[in-house]
Amino acid sequence: MPIEDHKLVNEFPEFKDDIHQLKMDDAHFRKLYDEYNHLTKEVEKIEQEITPAPTMEEEKLKKQRLQLKDTIQGYIKASKLAAEKA
């Protein structure tokens, strides 16, 4: 089974420009972005069997990534809304 590419720009292609701009201008977003990428790399290492880990650990990391993805999506939408009101 091929491993999916979970980069944020692939997860949210409609927000590609917003993600780039927030990475450049918003330190908090950059921290969330970096944390998401770190979790994604850890999951990929487990999936590719580079890093051995029990299934429970892999599932825990995937859940953390999903929660962070939801947080990031909310952050992007809130920043877009704030920019539209400004």
Side-chain angles (χ1 to χ4, degrees):
M1 179 165 111
I3 297 172
E4 294 180 37
D5 187 350
H6 286 278
K7 291 181 183 141
L8 280 178
V9 293
N10 294 336
E11 296 289 332
F12 304 118
E14 69 277 19
F15 296 133
K16 181 181 178 182
D17 294 334
D18 300 299
I19 290 168
H20 176 73
Q21 197 61 50
L22 284 166
K23 280 191 320 185
M24 303 305 289
D25 299 339
D26 189 313
H28 179 67
F29 181 84
R30 178 66 189 199
K31 183 177 182 234
L32 294 173
Y33 178 87
D34 289 344
E35 185 177 343
Y36 178 87
N37 284 335
H38 174 73
L39 283 170
T40 296
K41 287 177 185 172
E42 291 302 311
V43 169
E44 287 172 353
K45 286 179 189 176
I46 294 169
E47 289 176 339
Q48 295 169 0
E49 299 179 357
I50 295 169
T51 304
T55 303
M56 284 180 45
E57 180 66 21
E58 181 181 354
E59 293 303 315
K60 177 184 162 194
L61 291 174
K62 286 181 177 181
K63 286 178 184 177
Q64 288 176 340
R65 180 176 64 185
L66 183 59
Q67 289 173 339
L68 190 54
K69 182 176 142 184
D70 290 343
T71 299
I72 289 170
Q73 182 181 32
Y75 198 94
I76 294 168
K77 287 182 177 181
S79 71
K80 283 184 68 81
L81 186 61
E84 289 171 6
K85 289 184 177 183

